[in-house]
Amino acid sequence: MILAALIMNTQGKPRITKFYDHVSVERQQEILRVVYSVLSSRSGNLCSFVEADDIFGPDTKLVYKHFATLYFVFVIDSAESELGILDLIQVFVETLDRCFKNVCELDIVYNFGKVHTILDEIVMGGQVVETSSAEVMKAVQDIWKLERVGELNPANIRGIGHYKNSRS
Amino acid sequence: MESWANVIMKKAFKHGSQNTIDQLKTIGRELSMGTQGNWLSSKEYLDLVKAIGEAKSKAEEESIVMAEIEHLKKRIMEPDVPRKKMKEYIIRLVYVEMLGHDASFGYIYAVKMTHDDNLLCKRSGYLATTLFLNEDHDLIILIVNTIQKDLKSDNYLVVCAALTAVCKLINEETIPAVLPQVVDLLGHPKEQVRKKAVMALHRFQQRSPSSMSHLLTKFRQILCDKDPSVMSAALCALFDLVSADVKGFKNLTASFVSILKQVAEHRLPRAYDYHRTPAPFIQIKLLKILALLGAGDKHASENMYSVLMDVIKRNEPGKGDPGSNITNAILYECICTITAIMANSKLLGLAAEITSRFLKSDSHNYKYMGIDALGRVIEINPDFAEEHQLSVIDCLEDQDDTLKRKTLDLLYKMTKSSNVEVIVDRMISYMRTLSDAHNKTEIATRIIELTERFAPSNQWFIQTMNQVFELAGDLVPVKVAHDLMRLLSKGAGEDDEEADSLLRSSAVESYLQLLAEPKLPSILLQVACWVLGEYGTVDGTHSADDIIGKLCDVAEAHPGDNVVKGYAITAITKICAFEIGAGREVELIPECRSFVDDLLASHSTDLQQRAYELQVFFGLGADLVRKVLPVNGSGEEIEFDRELPFLQEFVDSALANGARPYLDENERLGVDSGMSSFVSSSRSHHEPSHGLRFEAYETPTAAIPSGSAAAPSSLLPDFEESVTELTRSVRNQTDSSQVDLLGPEVARLRLDGVQRKWGRTSGSSQPSLAPTPASEQQRRDSGVSEGASSNKESSPAEPRHEIYSSSFEGKKVEREIPAEKQRLAASLFGGSSVQKGSSGGVKGGVKASKAAGNVRPGEKGVPPRPAAGSGKKKNWSAAEPKQASSSLMDLVDMSGDDSLPVHDAKASYDPFKELEGLLGVPSTAASSTSVGLGKSTMDFMSLYDSAPVVSQSASSLAGDSDVLSLSHRRSGGMDGANGVEGGLIDLNILPSLSPLAGLGELAQSSSSLSPSTGVSDKKGPSRQHSLQKDAASRQVGVTPTGANPALFQDLFG
């Protein structure tokens, strides 16, 4: 399962942290520190996996990708495929990019709720639920549409949310 | 995809060169983006983020955040905060908490917000609560109702939000509250909802398998859902279920195979493609499940052959093409599956081919996967490693730490005696580069394991160990140091004295060299001191003064380390003793003199005693000293006559002086065994307790005739002293006699004696200074011994046996390859081709024997002991304090007043019998001790407290003694592993005064058993728990408990 999804910038500031099992705030900070120190010590073109048994316990790995000023890190156990998760990060970033049109760190900072929504569509309870960026976009846009309508006129809420099953 | 990547790269260029602060300066542009979607973009929030981004120091950031928290605290508590504002506050709280500050004051507002009708607010509320709360938080209960309502909402987005929250927020207790709704949602028309419901159920299954057991078939049904994405969600759950219970899902093998076939054949809608690969994540999950189902099952495996071939064929890239990441992910998964199931040679060949491609790839990711795959493939076909030795060595020398570690893992798996030196060498040089304790410990453990298993020579073993000590220092378990000392003292095992002394001299030389270096870890210094003390002057190259000088330097350089000091002073003692024994005049060099003087005034009684012992030696004659501390005495085995005949005279004179005759332990009820006395007294509750006395027993100390040696209060130390005088060798004796008293196992005892000799020279040294006895005890009690301890337990010959067997193995093949790398490769992979069969066999054999070695003590819990044990104790116990036996007699007597018939007593015995071995900790029993009895035992306990050695040995006596055997017999072989001689029964029963006295014994025996077996035979906690409950309820029903002493006293007092 996926134990945590983290986004932090190259200075070690957390941007998004999501732990799928509860972790206390203090421990979260410690984890972020350790993960950052590990990642920042690795130069480019090394492999994207770091064994993390000293941080998360036996058989856990960090799978990470470095984009511009951000690290995208997924913490996984042995039930996930490392290369697969690498592509999942790709899907995640791709979706963010579609959503924010050229995503950058600031988008993630300011739209932290949106990013969480997207992540929730991809990973749920530590399991991968959706791997198609297009599907995630659709779902997320439904939510936002509804939210905006709800903002303007709460009475309209009923109308939205009954889309036809879009995929098949 | 391509264009997208370009965009990211451009961004990387744009932003990567600037730091965040610069970015924030372009806030105008970003603002327009931030406001997109009308989300979190209030001015205040932006200002906060901006301020934090611009903070120059951690302290400044801290103060900004603290101010923000204060601000939020004030604002959030205002009445009638508009909901939009509230939502923003909460998002800011989440942000603040992400930065590591406590936002708990706002949790309740987040919970409140989930009640909102507005979806935006509701979702923000859910988001915040899932981030803030854990599933056991008090506020969860406030949210369950909302979740229940939302799960029934007719808006599927609300349902989805609730399902997402459910995954994080629902704990075992609240599962039943939402389970029916979630199960209903499996029939929801929207596939998104069904998918998430499956995920939620999976989460429940993880949290609490028991509450889901009736729903297992549901997961099978979902597999047939018409929507593939729902089916794929079910695969996640099924993967977990299958790994928990493979057998139960064998019948699904064909379904999984056919699903995989359809997916691979591209039968799913295009929407499921990822980079033109059909639903790769589904394929990967299926392959993982198949690996579980096919493991060790020929039939199931055969069903998978064709589909695996197909999947590989479809994903295999063309020549020269590295393939996309995702196809390689599938291929790697195929290797895992092929190596896990009983694959045919064709598939294995394909797996090997893919592995080669990975290893040859330029990408570090693929290399990593390749090394991992290689580890899997060579488990089936060890030959295969040879082909790739150069790639492996490349990986080993790579600068990538992850890759290096993975490669070392691989090497660790393929270590044999022929390549152990090279591999351990590599590991040590890797260890040099490490700084964190975790990895160091791990690699040190591995090095030690490999060294102990495959060491080609003792010399090499010692050198390697020294390196490990030097690098890992105090991360190395003390046991390893003791093993090393034992190896030195025992020598090569055969009668090759010359080789032994060579080994020792070389050890002395190497330690003298080492000691010149500053900053050595404590453990290495201990070993060095021991070696110098034991063998420093033996071969005559170094004078006693030299060595003593070195030892003093060591002690001086580590003023804070009492253990090292203890080792040093004892080493000095030994060297002096050897000198005196050899008839030479010994004059302590001045620095040593002052060192000893220091110790004589030391705060540590242990060090003091050691120093005094040294002084005593100067007053003794050469003959006596030779006997007490013979040269090379550590290797000698000390026999113990458990009858202790030399004490006979002592006992006789004590009896003549009016001491009470020996009473068997069972009659001394609860006196001699510190902990068990406690337990037994609590047991006596169940006994018909009408005869209990409630006035305090006289304190035992008062009754000790001061002049009589028969009943000293500090029984054991005195006893040991006398033993000390009487036995031949002091140093082995003091510890090992104690061990002997504590531990029953003769064969191991000798070794213990050797090992612990340095742990403490005195039987009465404080427990804090004696880590070894503790670990010894633990090892004995728990029966868990690490890999090496099987060597240790049997005899030092065993490691060597392994060495021989493996070196024999090594002889078979030596390959010669030129080029430096190839030489390294050869040394690593040397024998693989020829050895494959045998190495597997030997390895397995060694493993098996190790496993057996490990299991044995565990099964037995308490090792069998010779019948003589009780005899010894009999003699020994004659020296028990009179008071102890008299109060014991009281306990027995009072049951004599009892009018209950014997069979009743038997019946009341029953529950204890059930309880034995199930009471995990003695203290649980102790806690239920009644006031009346507890008081008396408390006195004894306090006595023992003041003399820790007594209580220690006494409690272990209870563990090892005949008591055990008795109750063992009576309990109908419940602890069947404790084989004991039958003769002991008589010993225990005969002295009983009456059937009821026997009952007392029973109570004690069963109870005194519990601490020992409780530790050794761990049974399921639930059973233990229920039995305790049962016992407690019986107690309440039959006798008043300690919880109500007044009633108790009213009734009986």
Side-chain angles (χ1 to χ4, degrees), chain B residues 711-727:
Chain B
S713 68
S714 54
L715 171 69
L716 261 186
D718 275 22
F719 165 69
E720 289 208 33
E721 250 168 51
S722 55
V723 174
T724 311
E725 285 159 22
L726 289 161
T727 47

Side-chain angles (χ1 to χ4, degrees), chain B residues 655-702:
Chain B
L655 284 173
N657 287 339
R660 289 197 181 206
Y662 170 72
L663 280 173
D664 190 79
E665 200 167 356
N666 293 323
E667 296 137 69
R668 280 179 280 115
L669 242 192
V671 169
D672 57 341
S673 49
M675 214 52 214
S676 62
S677 72
F678 236 19
V679 180
S680 76
S681 55
S682 78
R683 287 290 153 266
S684 326
H685 268 287
H686 301 255
E687 304 308 313
S689 42
H690 309 300
L692 282 178
R693 281 168 46 163
F694 290 100
E695 64 274 28
Y697 295 106
E698 312 84 297
T699 47
T701 37

Side-chain angles (χ1 to χ4, degrees), chain A residues 1 9 11 13-22 25 28-29 32 42-43 45-51 53-54 61 67-69 78-88 90-91 93-94 97-107 109-114 116-117 120-121 124-132 135 139 142-144 146-148 150-151 154 157-158 160-168, chain B residues 1 4 7-8 11-12 15-16 18-20 23-24 27 30 33-34 36-37 39-40 45-46 49 52 61 84 91 94-95 97-101 117-120 123 127 131-135 154-157 163-164 167-168 190-192 195-196 199-200 202-203 206-207 227 229 236 239 271-272 274-275 281 284-285 288 325-326 328-329 332-333 364-366 368-369 399-402 405-406 409 436 438-439 442:
Chain A
M1 93 177 245
N9 73 3
Q11 273 119 48
K13 281 237 159 54
R15 288 312 180 203
I16 294 287
T17 59
K18 192 148 194 138
F19 292 86
Y20 289 100
D21 278 323
H22 185 76
V25 180
Q28 286 186 13
Q29 291 305 308
L32 288 169
R42 291 176 66 81
S43 60
N45 90 49
L46 299 184
C47 72
S48 311
F49 320 121
V50 178
E51 271 154 39
D53 42 353
D54 46 341
K61 283 192 191 103
F67 291 104
T69 55
S78 57
E80 298 292 333
S81 151
E82 295 93 339
L83 291 173
I85 293 294
L86 219 45
D87 270 295
L88 193 73
Q90 192 82 7
V91 170
V93 179
E94 225 167 288
D97 204 54
R98 283 190 191 195
C99 184
F100 298 110
K101 318 229 165 33
N102 295 352
V103 66
C104 70
E105 187 178 341
L106 277 173
D107 296 324
V109 182
Y110 293 134
N111 297 288
F112 159 114
K114 270 188 178 177
H116 271 292
T117 311
D120 282 345
E121 288 300 317
M124 187 176 164
Q127 303 291 334
V128 183
V129 270
E130 183 55 71
T131 52
S132 152
E135 285 298 317
D142 278 359
I143 293 170
W144 290 338
L146 179 64
E147 279 172 354
R148 226 169 308 160
E151 285 281 280
I157 282 185
R158 292 271 154 128
I160 308 184
H162 295 288
Y163 278 70
K164 252 188 85 189
N165 195 340
S166 41
R167 183 133 54 179
S168 41
Chain B
M1 161 62 204
W4 176 83
V7 167
I8 291 281
K11 270 169 167 296
H15 294 292
Q18 303 164 331
N19 61 24
T20 337
Q23 281 185 355
L24 282 157
I27 203 144
E30 311 295 353
M33 263 181 162
Q36 187 189 57
W39 251 71
L40 311 162
Y45 178 67
L46 292 185
V49 174
I52 291 173
E61 184 193 308
K84 206 178 154 196
I91 292 300
V94 174
Y95 186 71
E97 191 164 282
M98 188 173 75
L99 293 174
H101 298 268
D117 283 337
N118 181 308
L119 179 67
L120 179 56
R123 283 179 40 83
L127 171 64
L131 292 172
F132 285 149
L133 307 182
N134 66 354
E135 74 263 19
D154 54 359
N155 185 327
Y156 84 94
L157 291 172
L163 281 172
T164 309
C167 284
K168 180 77 196 285
K190 287 293 285 186
E191 40 104 23
Q192 257 174 312
K195 184 169 77 179
K196 290 189 172 177
M199 286 297 178
H202 178 205
R203 195 71 177 156
Q206 284 179 331
R207 285 264 156 76
D227 190 284
S229 68
C236 295
F239 173 73
Y272 288 93
Y274 176 82
H275 296 198
F281 292 89
I284 290 172
K285 263 276 134 45
K288 277 184 187 290
N325 189 56
I326 199 68
N328 282 322
Y332 166 75
E333 219 51 62
H364 277 79
N365 287 346
Y366 297 156
Y368 177 89
M369 303 322 285
Q399 48 164 340
D400 187 342
D401 190 62
T402 311
R405 267 181 74 176
K406 193 80 191 168
D409 279 357
D436 69 310
H438 177 88
N439 290 336
E442 191 185 291

Side-chain angles (χ1 to χ4, degrees), chain B residues 218-361:
Chain B
K218 279 274 183 224
F219 287 112
R220 291 169 186 251
Q221 287 165 16
I222 304 160
L223 208 52
C224 309
D225 194 285
K226 60 181 185 296
D227 190 284
S229 68
V230 180
M231 181 271 296
S232 83
L235 289 178
C236 295
L238 282 166
F239 173 73
D240 277 8
L241 291 172
V242 173
S243 27
D245 168 32
V246 179
K247 280 220 178 74
F249 290 88
K250 285 277 187 205
N251 55 2
L252 280 183
T253 312
S255 319
F256 289 127
V257 168
S258 102
I259 296 171
L260 180 56
K261 198 167 158 56
Q262 293 177 41
V263 174
E265 284 171 356
H266 230 137
R267 302 257 191 93
L268 294 187
R270 289 280 158 193
Y272 288 93
D273 283 9
Y274 176 82
H275 296 198
R276 273 169 306 178
T277 308
F281 292 89
I282 297 181
Q283 292 194 46
I284 290 172
K285 263 276 134 45
L286 282 166
L287 285 166
K288 277 184 187 290
I289 295 175
L290 290 184
L292 293 171
L293 289 171
D297 184 338
K298 188 85 188 155
H299 180 68
S301 301
E302 273 163 4
N303 289 335
M304 302 170 191
Y305 290 167
S306 74
V307 74
L308 285 171
M309 293 289 278
D310 194 35
V311 171
I312 291 177
K313 213 169 64 205
R314 283 170 188 273
N315 288 293
E316 190 69 5
K319 268 238 165 332
D321 176 13
S324 75
N325 189 56
I326 199 68
T327 53
N328 282 322
I330 297 174
L331 288 173
Y332 166 75
E333 219 51 62
C334 286
I335 301 178
C336 296
T337 309
I338 289 169
T339 49
I341 67 173
M342 302 181 82
N344 60 12
S345 55
K346 198 165 173 213
L347 281 174
L348 283 172
L350 280 175
E353 227 168 80
I354 303 166
T355 308
S356 313
R357 197 166 53 75
F358 281 160
L359 284 169
K360 286 179 189 135
S361 158

